[in-house]
Amino acid sequence: MVHIRDPAARSSFEIFFCYSGVHAIWYHLISHYLWNHDHYFSARLIASINRFFYRY
């Protein structure tokens, strides 16, 4: 998906390690999974860390 929308993306390796938007989505998915499985504190902690690092 990133390759299609960003012509500057050269490789999957670069996207995996350098794109903060991809990292933010991963953290959101982990937090959402934990919330749905009743691990509320862990989910909120990961969501807070995600907001701290990827707020802009």
Coordinates of all heavy atoms in Angstrom, one line a residue:
M1 N 0.8 -1.2 0.0 CA 0.0 0.0 0.0 C 0.9 1.3 0.0 O 0.6 2.2 -0.7 CB -0.9 0.0 1.2 CG -1.8 1.1 1.3 SD -3.2 0.9 0.3 CE -4.4 1.8 1.1
V2 N 1.9 1.3 0.8 CA 2.8 2.4 0.9 C 3.5 2.6 -0.5 O 3.7 3.8 -0.9 CB 3.8 2.3 2.0 CG1 4.7 3.5 2.0 CG2 3.0 2.2 3.4
H3 N 3.9 1.5 -1.1 CA 4.6 1.6 -2.4 C 3.7 2.3 -3.4 O 4.2 3.1 -4.3 CB 5.0 0.2 -2.9 CG 6.1 -0.4 -2.2 ND1 7.4 0.1 -2.4 CD2 6.2 -1.4 -1.4 CE1 8.2 -0.6 -1.7 NE2 7.6 -1.6 -1.1
I4 N 2.4 2.1 -3.3 CA 1.5 2.6 -4.3 C 1.3 4.1 -4.1 O 1.3 4.9 -5.1 CB 0.1 1.9 -4.2 CG1 0.3 0.5 -4.6 CG2 -0.9 2.6 -5.1 CD1 -0.9 -0.4 -4.3
R5 N 1.2 4.6 -2.8 CA 0.9 6.0 -2.6 C 2.1 6.8 -2.4 O 2.0 8.1 -2.5 CB 0.0 6.0 -1.3 CG -1.3 5.4 -1.5 CD -2.2 5.6 -0.3 NE -3.4 5.0 -0.5 CZ -4.6 5.5 -0.1 NH1 -4.6 6.5 0.6 NH2 -5.7 4.9 -0.4
D6 N 3.3 6.3 -2.2 CA 4.5 7.1 -2.0 C 5.5 6.7 -3.0 O 6.2 5.7 -2.9 CB 5.0 6.9 -0.6 CG 6.1 7.9 -0.3 OD1 6.5 8.7 -1.2 OD2 6.7 7.8 0.8
P7 N 5.7 7.5 -4.1 CA 6.7 7.1 -5.1 C 8.1 7.2 -4.6 O 9.0 6.6 -5.2 CB 6.4 8.1 -6.2 CG 5.7 9.2 -5.6 CD 5.0 8.7 -4.4
A8 N 8.3 7.9 -3.5 CA 9.7 8.0 -2.9 C 10.1 6.7 -2.1 O 11.3 6.6 -1.8 CB 9.8 9.2 -2.0
A9 N 9.2 5.9 -1.8 CA 9.5 4.7 -1.1 C 10.3 3.7 -2.0 O 9.7 3.3 -3.0 CB 8.2 4.0 -0.6
R10 N 11.5 3.4 -1.6 CA 12.3 2.6 -2.5 C 12.2 1.1 -2.3 O 12.4 0.3 -3.2 CB 13.8 3.0 -2.3 CG 14.0 4.5 -2.7 CD 15.5 4.8 -2.6 NE 15.5 6.2 -2.2 CZ 16.5 6.8 -1.5 NH1 17.5 6.1 -1.1 NH2 16.4 8.1 -1.3
S11 N 12.0 0.7 -1.0 CA 12.0 -0.7 -0.7 C 11.1 -1.0 0.5 O 10.8 -0.1 1.3 CB 13.4 -1.2 -0.4 OG 13.9 -0.7 0.8
S12 N 10.8 -2.2 0.6 CA 10.0 -2.6 1.8 C 10.8 -2.5 3.1 O 10.3 -2.2 4.2 CB 9.5 -4.1 1.6 OG 8.7 -4.2 0.5
F13 N 12.1 -2.7 3.0 CA 13.0 -2.6 4.1 C 13.0 -1.2 4.7 O 12.9 -0.9 5.9 CB 14.4 -3.0 3.7 CG 15.4 -2.9 4.8 CD1 15.5 -4.0 5.7 CD2 16.3 -1.9 4.9 CE1 16.5 -4.0 6.7 CE2 17.3 -1.8 5.9 CZ 17.3 -2.9 6.8
E14 N 13.0 -0.2 3.8 CA 13.0 1.2 4.1 C 11.6 1.6 4.8 O 11.6 2.3 5.8 CB 13.2 2.1 2.9 CG 13.2 3.6 3.2 CD 13.3 4.4 2.0 OE1 13.3 3.9 0.9 OE2 13.5 5.6 2.2
I15 N 10.6 1.1 4.2 CA 9.2 1.4 4.8 C 9.1 0.7 6.2 O 8.6 1.4 7.1 CB 8.1 0.8 3.9 CG1 8.1 1.6 2.6 CG2 6.8 0.9 4.5 CD1 7.3 0.9 1.5
F16 N 9.6 -0.5 6.3 CA 9.5 -1.2 7.6 C 10.2 -0.5 8.7 O 9.7 -0.4 9.9 CB 10.1 -2.6 7.4 CG 9.9 -3.5 8.6 CD1 8.7 -4.1 8.9 CD2 11.0 -3.7 9.5 CE1 8.6 -4.9 10.1 CE2 10.9 -4.5 10.6 CZ 9.7 -5.1 10.9
F17 N 11.4 0.1 8.5 CA 12.2 0.7 9.5 C 12.1 2.2 9.6 O 12.4 2.8 10.7 CB 13.7 0.3 9.3 CG 14.0 -1.1 9.7 CD1 14.2 -2.0 8.7 CD2 14.0 -1.5 11.0 CE1 14.5 -3.3 9.0 CE2 14.3 -2.8 11.4 CZ 14.5 -3.7 10.4
C18 N 11.6 2.9 8.6 CA 11.7 4.4 8.6 C 10.4 5.1 8.6 O 10.4 6.3 8.8 CB 12.5 4.8 7.4 SG 14.2 4.2 7.4
Y19 N 9.3 4.5 8.3 CA 8.0 5.2 8.1 C 7.3 5.2 9.5 O 6.8 4.1 9.9 CB 7.2 4.6 7.0 CG 7.6 5.1 5.7 CD1 8.9 5.0 5.2 CD2 6.6 5.6 4.8 CE1 9.2 5.4 4.0 CE2 7.0 6.1 3.6 CZ 8.3 6.0 3.1 OH 8.6 6.4 1.9
S20 N 7.2 6.3 10.1 CA 6.6 6.4 11.4 C 5.0 6.1 11.4 O 4.5 5.7 12.3 CB 6.8 7.8 12.1 OG 6.3 8.8 11.3
G21 N 4.4 6.5 10.3 CA 3.0 6.2 10.1 C 2.7 4.7 10.2 O 1.7 4.3 10.8
V22 N 3.5 3.9 9.6 CA 3.4 2.4 9.7 C 3.5 2.0 11.1 O 2.8 1.1 11.6 CB 4.4 1.7 8.7 CG1 4.3 0.2 8.9 CG2 4.2 2.1 7.3
H23 N 4.5 2.5 11.8 CA 4.7 2.1 13.2 C 3.5 2.5 14.1 O 3.1 1.7 14.9 CB 6.0 2.8 13.8 CG 7.2 2.4 13.1 ND1 8.3 3.3 13.0 CD2 7.6 1.3 12.4 CE1 9.2 2.7 12.3 NE2 8.8 1.5 11.9
A24 N 3.0 3.7 13.8 CA 1.8 4.1 14.6 C 0.6 3.2 14.4 O -0.1 2.9 15.3 CB 1.4 5.6 14.2
I25 N 0.4 2.8 13.2 CA -0.7 1.8 12.9 C -0.5 0.5 13.6 O -1.4 -0.1 14.1 CB -0.9 1.7 11.3 CG1 -1.4 2.9 10.7 CG2 -1.8 0.5 11.0 CD1 -1.4 3.0 9.2
W26 N 0.8 0.0 13.6 CA 1.1 -1.2 14.3 C 0.8 -1.1 15.8 O 0.2 -2.0 16.3 CB 2.5 -1.6 14.1 CG 2.8 -2.1 12.7 CD1 2.0 -2.5 11.7 CD2 4.1 -2.1 12.1 NE1 2.7 -2.8 10.6 CE2 4.0 -2.6 10.8 CE3 5.4 -1.8 12.6 CZ2 5.1 -2.8 10.0 CZ3 6.5 -2.0 11.8 CH2 6.3 -2.5 10.5
Y27 N 1.2 0.0 16.4 CA 0.9 0.2 17.8 C -0.6 0.2 18.0 O -1.1 -0.3 19.0 CB 1.6 1.4 18.3 CG 3.0 1.2 18.7 CD1 4.0 2.0 18.0 CD2 3.5 0.3 19.6 CE1 5.4 1.8 18.3 CE2 4.8 0.1 19.9 CZ 5.7 0.9 19.3 OH 7.1 0.7 19.6
H28 N -1.3 0.9 17.2 CA -2.8 1.0 17.3 C -3.4 -0.4 17.2 O -4.3 -0.8 18.0 CB -3.4 1.9 16.2 CG -4.9 1.8 16.2 ND1 -5.7 2.4 17.2 CD2 -5.7 1.2 15.4 CE1 -6.9 2.1 16.9 NE2 -7.0 1.4 15.8
L29 N -3.0 -1.2 16.3 CA -3.5 -2.6 16.1 C -3.2 -3.4 17.4 O -4.1 -4.2 17.8 CB -2.9 -3.2 14.9 CG -3.4 -2.6 13.6 CD1 -2.6 -3.3 12.4 CD2 -4.9 -2.8 13.4
I30 N -2.0 -3.3 17.9 CA -1.7 -4.1 19.1 C -2.6 -3.6 20.3 O -3.1 -4.4 21.0 CB -0.2 -3.9 19.5 CG1 0.7 -4.6 18.4 CG2 0.1 -4.4 20.9 CD1 2.1 -4.2 18.5
S31 N -2.7 -2.3 20.5 CA -3.5 -1.7 21.5 C -5.0 -2.2 21.4 O -5.6 -2.5 22.4 CB -3.4 -0.2 21.5 OG -4.2 0.3 22.5
H32 N -5.5 -2.1 20.2 CA -6.9 -2.5 19.9 C -7.1 -4.0 20.2 O -8.1 -4.4 20.9 CB -7.2 -2.2 18.5 CG -8.6 -2.5 18.1 ND1 -9.7 -1.8 18.5 CD2 -9.2 -3.5 17.3 CE1 -10.8 -2.3 18.1 NE2 -10.5 -3.3 17.3
Y33 N -6.1 -4.8 19.9 CA -6.2 -6.3 20.2 C -6.3 -6.5 21.7 O -7.1 -7.2 22.2 CB -5.0 -7.0 19.6 CG -5.0 -8.5 20.0 CD1 -5.7 -9.4 19.3 CD2 -4.2 -8.9 21.0 CE1 -5.7 -10.8 19.7 CE2 -4.2 -10.2 21.4 CZ -4.9 -11.1 20.7 OH -4.9 -12.5 21.1
L34 N -5.4 -5.8 22.4 CA -5.3 -6.0 23.9 C -6.6 -5.5 24.5 O -7.1 -6.1 25.4 CB -4.1 -5.2 24.4 CG -2.8 -5.8 24.1 CD1 -1.7 -4.9 24.6 CD2 -2.6 -7.2 24.8
W35 N -7.2 -4.4 24.0 CA -8.4 -3.8 24.6 C -9.6 -4.8 24.4 O -10.4 -5.0 25.3 CB -8.7 -2.5 23.9 CG -9.9 -1.8 24.5 CD1 -11.2 -1.9 24.1 CD2 -9.9 -0.9 25.6 NE1 -12.0 -1.2 24.9 CE2 -11.3 -0.5 25.9 CE3 -8.9 -0.4 26.4 CZ2 -11.6 0.3 26.9 CZ3 -9.3 0.5 27.4 CH2 -10.6 0.8 27.6
N36 N -9.6 -5.4 23.2 CA -10.7 -6.4 22.9 C -10.6 -7.7 23.7 O -11.5 -8.4 23.9 CB -10.7 -6.7 21.4 CG -11.3 -5.6 20.6 OD1 -12.1 -4.8 21.1 ND2 -11.0 -5.5 19.4
H37 N -9.4 -7.9 24.2 CA -9.1 -9.1 25.0 C -9.0 -8.8 26.5 O -8.4 -9.5 27.3 CB -7.9 -9.9 24.5 CG -8.2 -10.6 23.2 ND1 -8.1 -9.9 22.0 CD2 -8.6 -11.8 23.0 CE1 -8.4 -10.8 21.1 NE2 -8.7 -11.9 21.6
D38 N -9.6 -7.7 26.9 CA -9.8 -7.3 28.3 C -8.4 -7.0 29.1 O -8.3 -7.1 30.3 CB -10.6 -8.3 29.1 CG -12.0 -8.5 28.6 OD1 -12.5 -7.5 28.0 OD2 -12.5 -9.6 28.6
H39 N -7.4 -6.6 28.3 CA -6.2 -6.1 28.9 C -6.1 -4.6 28.8 O -5.3 -4.0 28.1 CB -5.0 -6.7 28.2 CG -4.9 -8.2 28.2 ND1 -4.5 -8.9 29.4 CD2 -5.3 -9.2 27.3 CE1 -4.6 -10.2 29.1 NE2 -5.0 -10.4 27.9
Y40 N -7.0 -4.0 29.6 CA -7.2 -2.5 29.5 C -6.0 -1.7 29.8 O -5.7 -0.7 29.1 CB -8.4 -2.1 30.3 CG -9.7 -2.8 30.0 CD1 -10.3 -3.7 30.9 CD2 -10.2 -2.7 28.7 CE1 -11.5 -4.3 30.5 CE2 -11.4 -3.4 28.3 CZ -12.0 -4.2 29.2 OH -13.2 -4.8 28.9
F41 N -5.3 -2.0 30.9 CA -4.2 -1.2 31.3 C -3.1 -1.3 30.2 O -2.5 -0.2 29.9 CB -3.6 -1.7 32.7 CG -2.4 -0.9 33.1 CD1 -2.5 0.4 33.6 CD2 -1.1 -1.4 32.9 CE1 -1.4 1.1 33.9 CE2 0.0 -0.7 33.3 CZ -0.2 0.6 33.8
S42 N -2.8 -2.5 29.7 CA -1.7 -2.6 28.7 C -2.1 -1.9 27.4 O -1.3 -1.2 26.8 CB -1.5 -4.1 28.4 OG -1.1 -4.8 29.5
A43 N -3.4 -1.9 27.1 CA -3.8 -1.3 25.9 C -3.7 0.2 26.0 O -3.3 0.9 25.1 CB -5.3 -1.6 25.6
R44 N -4.1 0.8 27.2 CA -4.0 2.2 27.4 C -2.6 2.7 27.5 O -2.2 3.8 27.0 CB -4.7 2.6 28.7 CG -6.2 2.4 28.8 CD -7.0 3.5 28.1 NE -6.7 4.8 28.5 CZ -7.4 5.5 29.3 NH1 -8.6 5.1 29.7 NH2 -7.1 6.8 29.6
L45 N -1.7 1.9 28.1 CA -0.3 2.2 28.1 C 0.3 2.3 26.7 O 1.0 3.2 26.4 CB 0.5 1.2 29.0 CG 2.0 1.4 29.2 CD1 2.2 2.7 29.9 CD2 2.6 0.2 29.9
I46 N 0.1 1.3 25.9 CA 0.6 1.3 24.6 C 0.0 2.4 23.7 O 0.7 3.1 23.0 CB 0.3 -0.1 23.9 CG1 1.2 -1.1 24.5 CG2 0.6 0.0 22.4 CD1 0.9 -2.5 24.1
A47 N -1.3 2.7 23.9 CA -1.9 3.9 23.2 C -1.2 5.2 23.7 O -1.0 6.1 22.8 CB -3.4 3.9 23.5
S48 N -0.9 5.3 24.9 CA -0.3 6.6 25.4 C 1.1 6.7 24.9 O 1.6 7.8 24.5 CB -0.3 6.6 26.9 OG -1.5 6.6 27.4
I49 N 1.9 5.6 24.8 CA 3.2 5.6 24.3 C 3.1 6.0 22.8 O 3.9 6.8 22.3 CB 3.9 4.3 24.5 CG1 4.2 4.1 26.0 CG2 5.2 4.2 23.7 CD1 4.7 2.7 26.4
N50 N 2.2 5.4 22.1 CA 2.0 5.7 20.7 C 1.7 7.2 20.5 O 2.3 7.8 19.6 CB 0.8 4.8 20.1 CG 0.7 4.9 18.7 OD1 1.6 5.3 17.9 ND2 -0.5 4.6 18.2
R51 N 0.8 7.8 21.3 CA 0.5 9.2 21.1 C 1.7 10.0 21.4 O 2.0 11.1 20.8 CB -0.6 9.6 22.1 CG -2.0 9.3 21.5 CD -3.0 10.0 22.3 NE -3.1 9.6 23.7 CZ -3.7 8.5 24.1 NH1 -4.4 7.7 23.3 NH2 -3.7 8.2 25.4
F52 N 2.6 9.6 22.4 CA 3.8 10.4 22.7 C 4.7 10.4 21.6 O 5.3 11.5 21.2 CB 4.4 9.8 24.0 CG 5.7 10.5 24.4 CD1 5.6 11.7 25.0 CD2 6.9 10.0 24.1 CE1 6.8 12.4 25.3 CE2 8.1 10.6 24.4 CZ 8.0 11.8 25.1
F53 N 5.0 9.3 21.0 CA 6.0 9.2 19.9 C 5.5 9.7 18.5 O 6.3 10.2 17.7 CB 6.6 7.8 19.8 CG 7.5 7.5 20.9 CD1 7.2 6.5 21.8 CD2 8.7 8.1 21.0 CE1 8.1 6.2 22.8 CE2 9.7 7.8 21.9 CZ 9.3 6.9 22.9
Y54 N 4.2 9.5 18.2 CA 3.7 9.7 16.9 C 2.6 10.7 16.9 O 1.6 10.6 16.1 CB 3.3 8.4 16.3 CG 4.3 7.4 16.2 CD1 4.3 6.2 17.0 CD2 5.5 7.5 15.4 CE1 5.3 5.3 17.0 CE2 6.5 6.6 15.4 CZ 6.4 5.5 16.2 OH 7.4 4.6 16.2
R55 N 2.7 11.8 17.7 CA 1.6 12.7 17.7 C 1.5 13.6 16.5 O 0.5 14.3 16.3 CB 1.6 13.5 19.0 CG 2.8 14.4 19.2 CD 2.8 15.0 20.5 NE 4.1 14.9 21.1 CZ 4.5 15.4 22.2 NH1 3.7 16.1 22.9 NH2 5.7 15.2 22.6
Y56 N 2.6 13.8 15.8 CA 2.5 14.7 14.6 C 2.8 14.0 13.4 O 3.5 13.1 13.2 CB 3.5 15.9 14.8 CG 3.2 16.7 16.0 CD1 4.0 16.7 17.1 CD2 2.1 17.5 16.0 CE1 3.8 17.5 18.2 CE2 1.8 18.3 17.1 CZ 2.7 18.3 18.2 OH 2.4 19.1 19.2

